[in-house]
């Protein structure tokens, strides 16, 4: 069907390396006996080699449909990122502390547009956009002990329109409008204590 065009795309990657942050003591202060404090600004003392593994994958579906005079467009996208990292947290070569991170992020977006044809001096485009994101910070451990668990969910929807009128080959008038609504919700907890929920709504 010549009026319909569909494009599928996807990708996947996985990386494991030692590019995880490492901290340094302030003013060479430390409570660890026999600790080595490197003199250089960019030097660090570690009791083990840190490591990080990042897995990233996603896909999209892009479609256009010629309706005769206007074109309907759609872009659907889904992406997920997973991170596991282990790093030295006591800032010295003494085996005094470690931190383990596990995070994930899942993002879905959807866009629908209507675009005018190319005939005439006036052209326009209008559409809606939806965004949904969930980021989790789970199984965070300090020295092997469970610590903060948190997640934040973001959801947004917007509508937009833009028109262009060509007065001449050298002069055009462009006008547009956009509306956006966004909500976010944060949930966090520790092994001890009361879980906390924070909600926010932002309107234009």
């Amino acid at each position: 069907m010549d009026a319909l065009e569909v494009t599928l795309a996807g990708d996947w990657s996985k990386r494991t390396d030692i590019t995880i942050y490492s901290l340094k003591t302030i003013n060479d202060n430390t409570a660890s006996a026999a600790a080595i404090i490197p003199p250089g600004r960019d030097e660090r003392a570690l009791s083990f080699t840190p490591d990080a593994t990042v897995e990233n994958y996603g896909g999209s579906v892009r479609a256009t449909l010629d309706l005769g005079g206007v074109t309907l467009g759609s872009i659907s996208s889904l992406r997920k990122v997973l991170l596991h990292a282990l790093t030295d947290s006591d800032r010295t070569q003494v085996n005094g502390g470690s931190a383990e991170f596990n995070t994930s992020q899942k993002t879905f977006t959807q866009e629908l547009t209507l675009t005018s044809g190319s005939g005439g001096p006036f052209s326009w485009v209008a559409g809606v956009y939806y965004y949904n994101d969930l980021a989790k910070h789970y199984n965070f451990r300090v020295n092997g002990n469970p610590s903060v668990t948190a997640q934040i969910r973001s959801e947004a929807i917007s509508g937009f329109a833009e028109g262009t009128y060509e007065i001449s080959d050298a002069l055009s008038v462009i006008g547009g409008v956009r509306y956006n609504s966004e909500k976010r919700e944060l949930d966090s907890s520790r092994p001890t204590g009361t879980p906390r929920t924070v909600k926010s709504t932002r309107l234009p």
Side-chain angles (χ1 to χ4, degrees):
M1 183 178 182
D2 295 338
L4 177 65
E5 294 185 5
V6 179
T7 302
L8 304 177
D11 63 273
W12 175 87
S13 67
K14 188 174 184 179
R15 185 184 78 247
T16 299
D17 53 38
I18 61 172
T19 55
I20 185 66
Y21 79 90
S22 182
L23 306 175
K24 188 174 180 179
T25 61
I26 298 177
N27 298 326
D28 295 342
N29 293 318
T30 177
S32 300
I36 297 175
I37 308 298
R41 184 189 66 177
D42 298 323
E43 296 177 317
R44 299 293 183 268
L46 303 172
S47 56
F48 62 88
T49 301
D51 69 83
T53 299
V54 181
E55 186 176 9
N56 186 338
Y57 58 91
S60 64
V61 179
R62 182 187 298 265
T64 59
L65 178 62
D66 188 351
L67 299 176
V70 296
T71 300
L72 174 64
S74 172
I75 303 176
S76 305
S77 176
L78 180 65
R79 177 155 299 279
K80 191 165 187 178
V81 181
L82 302 171
L83 166 68
H84 173 265
L86 179 65
T87 190
D88 190 326
S89 63
D90 61 87
R91 305 167 176 84
T92 72
Q93 95 290 358
V94 178
N95 188 17
S98 64
E100 183 178 4
F101 303 85
N102 289 278
T103 64
S104 69
Q105 184 173 13
K106 184 179 180 181
T107 306
F108 171 76
T109 63
Q110 174 65 55
E111 182 180 75
L112 294 173
T113 59
L114 276 177
T115 306
S116 65
S118 58
F122 181 68
S123 60
W124 53 269
V125 59
V128 293
Y129 180 82
Y130 175 74
Y131 170 89
N132 190 300
D133 180 87
L134 177 61
K136 294 183 178 181
H137 186 57
Y138 61 95
N139 197 29
F140 175 42
R141 295 178 177 271
V142 178
N143 300 330
N145 300 313
S147 186
V148 177
T149 297
Q151 72 173 31
I152 182 169
R153 181 182 296 276
S154 303
E155 187 176 33
I157 188 168
S158 64
F160 55 91
E162 180 179 293
T164 302
Y165 186 81
E166 295 185 1
I167 299 175
S168 67
D169 292 339
L171 180 63
S172 298
V173 177
I174 301 175
V177 294
R178 181 180 179 88
Y179 172 85
N180 186 78
S181 175
E182 182 176 344
K183 297 186 297 183
R184 293 184 180 182
E185 182 175 326
L186 169 67
D187 293 297
S188 64
S189 64
R190 293 178 178 271
T192 59
T194 303
R196 185 183 183 192
T197 299
V198 178
K199 296 182 178 181
S200 68
T201 300
R202 185 181 67 186
L203 297 175

